[in-house]
């Protein structure tokens, strides 16, 4: 059971794209806090209805993987059940690696649905600009959906109503959160429960940059003339939906925009689509080639200046400068008809073309929000158009 961790590892074998890149790094992937919370919730609700904790407990991840998690702790009372899972982040230097993620499930009256609570070590949202309302526990939308889906499955299997309160807690989470950006973002009291795929992709600068280069090589060898550099799985889906690209034309760029651009400068293809979250691509727009949060930050003064160029008055520019997150800046501008997303996409494209230094690669850019909605884009432009 490996100390309460999942007994199966994510399936990553693929001929190209993110899966193949992960294979080439030689690093072991792990599980998000959202996957761990889902496993703990599933086990706790099963015990509440049946009197028995499944151990290990198997869950379904958004991409179809079915890992099994061993339980590290369990408690069953008359009206509540608690189960806990130890987070295994694989070979990623994640500050939450080894943390104990607990789910306490209590039955609610019929019709209440699923109610999420922040227990000890899980933060609460106190400022706008995040994908959750102020006052909500910092349990992101995808983990909420995963837990809700599994609660419904357990209810159907064991004759429950599915109306429950789910309290997620993380032992020592408030202390761990001091090493994250949560306090600056206004998430107070602990960690966020995160994850869009359930899988933690391990981070290694040299290994990941090498995997990007091999990804370009594979795409070129397959005759692909259009590739997409994506910051994550959500932007990858958007790039595929927009351009119909095959798997071996997808590069998991992550934070390493510079690595993609510099390698394509020497090994060009006809077209590059850069797709990513608005905040990360705002860093590229400002000239940063490493988009990791520890090495570059969203420059809201720069975004305010871009907004002015797009017609923002000084009141709006001041609001952009004072915004909590990059996402909030684009929302503020959109409400007043200022196309900040498009301006950021165009500036990011210009940065990319500058790094390509005249290489015969046309670049277009797609900026998305956390839900995968396109909030900005810049049309394809090549060196002859600059």
């Amino acid at each position: 059971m490996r100390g309460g961790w999942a007994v199966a590892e994510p399936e990553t074998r693929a001929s190209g794209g993110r899966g193949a890149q992960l294979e080439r790094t030689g690093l072991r992937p792990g599980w998000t806090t959202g996957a761990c919370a889902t496993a703990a919730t599933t086990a706790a609700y099963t015990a509440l209805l049946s009197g028995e904790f499944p151990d290990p407990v198997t869950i379904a991840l958004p991409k179809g993987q079915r890992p099994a998690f061993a339980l590290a702790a369990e408690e069953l009372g008359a009206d509540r059940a608690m189960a806990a899972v130890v987070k295994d982040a694989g070979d990623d230097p994640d500050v939450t690696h080894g943390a104990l993620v607990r789910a306490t499930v209590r039955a609610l009256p019929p019709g209440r649905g699923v109610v999420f609570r922040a227990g000890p070590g899980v933060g609460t949202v106190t400022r706008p600009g995040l994908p959750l309302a102020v006052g909500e526990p910092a349990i992101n939308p995808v983990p909420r959906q995963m837990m809700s889906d599994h609660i419904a499955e357990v209810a159907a299997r064991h004759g429950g109503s599915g109306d429950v309160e789910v309290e997620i807690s993380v032992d020592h989470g408030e202390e761990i959160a001091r090493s994250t950006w949560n306090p600056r973002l206004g998430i107070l009291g602990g960690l966020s429960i995160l994850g869009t795929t359930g899988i933690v992709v391990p981070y290694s600068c040299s290994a990941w940059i090498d995997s990007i280069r091999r990804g370009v090589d594979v795409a070129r060898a397959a005759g692909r003339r259009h590739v997409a550099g994506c910051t994550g799985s959500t932007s990858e889906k958007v790039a595929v939906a927009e351009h119909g690209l095959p798997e071996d034309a997808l590069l998991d760029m992550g934070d390493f925009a510079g690595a993609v651009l510099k390698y394509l400068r020497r090994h060009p293809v006809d077209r590059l689509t850069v797709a990513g979250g608005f905040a990360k691509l705002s860093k590229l727009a400002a000239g940063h080639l490493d988009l990791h949060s520890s090495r570059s930050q969203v420059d809201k003064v720069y975004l305010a200046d871009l907004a002015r160029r797009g017609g923002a008055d000084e009141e709006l520019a001041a609001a952009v400068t004072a915004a909590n997150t990059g996402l909030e800046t684009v929302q503020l501008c959109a409400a007043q008809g200022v196309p900040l997303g498009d301006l950021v996409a165009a500036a990011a494209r210009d940065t990319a073309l500058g790094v390509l230094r005249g290489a015969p690669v046309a670049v277009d850019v797609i900026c998305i929000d956390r839900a995968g909605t396109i909030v900005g884009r810049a049309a394809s432009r090549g060196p002859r158009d600059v």
Side-chain angles (χ1 to χ4, degrees), residues 9 43 51 106 114 136 144 216 250 261 269 356 365:
E9 295 188 356
R106 301 177 180 87
V114 180
E136 282 290 310
R144 288 183 185 225
V216 172
L250 303 175
L261 296 167
V269 296
L356 287 165
V365 175

Side-chain angles (χ1 to χ4, degrees), residues 305-319:
D305 185 53
L306 273 186
R308 289 188 188 95
R309 296 181 214 172
D313 58 22
E314 285 306 311
E315 182 178 0
L316 177 56

Side-chain angles (χ1 to χ4, degrees), residues 157-226:
R157 191 179 310 123
H158 295 286
S161 70
D163 299 285
V164 294
E165 176 189 274
V166 179
E167 178 184 288
I168 304 298
S169 60
V170 180
D171 287 17
H172 310 295
E174 187 166 7
E175 177 183 347
I176 297 170
R178 296 191 189 109
S179 300
T180 73
W181 285 96
N182 276 15
R184 182 173 293 188
L185 295 174
I187 298 173
L188 304 182
L191 294 162
S192 301
I193 303 301
L194 303 172
T196 55
T197 65
I199 297 171
V200 172
V201 175
Y203 177 87
S204 163
C205 290
S206 59
W208 208 250
I209 289 172
D210 182 67
S211 76
I212 287 170
R213 294 168 178 167
R214 301 294 78 76
V216 172
D217 292 344
V218 168
R220 283 165 51 89
R224 308 301 178 197
R225 304 311 304 164
H226 182 183

Side-chain angles (χ1 to χ4, degrees), residues 37-47 54 57-59 103 147 150-151 154 157:
T38 299
T41 297
T42 302
Y45 191 38
T46 300
V57 56
T58 300
I59 64 170
M147 284 182 267
H150 283 78
I151 287 166
V154 172
R157 191 179 310 123

